[in-house]
Amino acid sequence: MDAEALYPYPDELLVTTKVGVAGSGPLDEAKLDGRPAVLRAQVEQALRRLRVERIELLQLHRIDPMTPLADQLGALGELQAEGKIGRIGLSEVDVDELDEARGMVDVASVQNRYNLLDREHEPVLAACEAAGIAFLPWRPVAWGESGARAEVAAVAAELDATPTQVALAWLLGHSPVIHPIPGTARIDHLEENLAAESLHLTRAHRDRLDRLSEGAGSAVSPDVTGEPDGE
């Protein structure tokens, strides 16, 4: 996020960003770097870039396996104590990693890949729900091949909605701690995404959609919007 897009920020806007990746470009071409000095430098840079005195929610992009988790979270905890971070979040963690992290800092959010078909992290969602931790699914509007796509489209047609709205509405009704983060590059898609909040899925619709995940495994399917996936 760049400050030019929304600055000066409305009072109700929560500004968030990530740290823990060295370099730029796609994550698979970058390098995880959770060394305390690097995390601190990235936070300081983000404060200047975003023109804020505190980042209300800071996500650790991934846990760096080459740096002790206590060092990574210790650095973020120090920055939080200094008032430069409001809340600390994690990304792509499993239940054990979440439990370990919660023993060191107060975890406000978890951002894992999750959608109607890709429910690999259901145990993490359950742990977040039990602890009152926000769960932020990235790639939230992806679904599978022709069969699943046709079923979602059929539900959308019955509700006079779009398949994207159905996918988001399913997430919003699946757990009270879920806050999807669909990426978008167009105003009309943003409006489409926001309208999903008022879409009512009946129990029958939910049952049909729930069955789509059976046997789906953890395969990642394309984002049908063709837009950034929020990761």
Side-chain angles (χ1 to χ4, degrees), residues 63-76:
I63 292 176
D64 176 6
M66 304 304 294
T67 303
L69 181 59
D71 291 353
Q72 298 175 66
L73 296 181
L76 299 186

Side-chain angles (χ1 to χ4, degrees), residues 9-139:
Y9 307 119
D11 291 339
E12 66 274 13
L13 184 70
L14 186 147
V15 176
T16 178
T17 190
K18 291 183 177 181
V19 293
V21 172
S24 58
L27 184 58
D28 57 3
E29 298 177 6
K31 178 180 179 296
L32 297 180
D33 195 336
R35 291 175 295 171
V38 171
L39 297 180
R40 178 173 285 274
Q42 290 182 348
V43 168
E44 296 287 359
Q45 182 184 42
L47 290 170
R48 292 191 297 271
R49 187 182 75 248
L50 297 172
R51 304 179 195 174
V52 295
E53 295 183 356
R54 183 171 82 162
I55 298 168
E56 295 301 332
L57 173 61
L58 185 83
Q59 300 271 146
L60 184 62
H61 213 310
R62 297 288 191 279
I63 292 176
D64 176 6
M66 304 304 294
T67 303
L69 181 59
D71 291 353
Q72 298 175 66
L73 296 181
L76 299 186
E78 290 175 1
L79 288 160
Q80 187 178 43
E82 294 169 15
K84 296 179 179 180
I85 296 174
R87 303 168 186 84
I88 296 171
L90 303 174
S91 298
E92 286 301 291
V93 293
D94 59 29
V95 172
D96 290 341
E97 290 168 334
L98 176 58
D99 286 344
E100 183 181 0
R102 292 185 64 212
M104 304 177 200
V105 297
D106 182 17
V107 178
S109 62
V110 169
Q111 181 177 320
N112 281 16
R113 191 189 69 239
Y114 186 87
N115 58 62
L116 178 58
L117 281 190
D118 185 359
R119 297 170 63 177
E120 174 187 0
H121 294 294
E122 195 78 39
V124 182
L125 171 58
C128 288
E129 189 170 329
I133 296 172
F135 187 83
L136 317 176
W138 63 272
R139 191 161 286 172

Side-chain angles (χ1 to χ4, degrees), residues 138-153:
W138 63 272
R139 191 161 286 172
V141 297
W143 48 79
E145 301 304 326
S146 58
R149 190 181 299 266
E151 184 66 13
V152 175

Side-chain angles (χ1 to χ4, degrees), residues 181-200:
I181 49 172
T184 184
R186 292 168 40 178
I187 293 296
D188 59 334
H189 286 171
L190 174 61
E191 293 172 344
E192 176 187 0
N193 294 342
L194 291 173
E197 186 176 12
S198 60
L199 182 64
H200 174 66

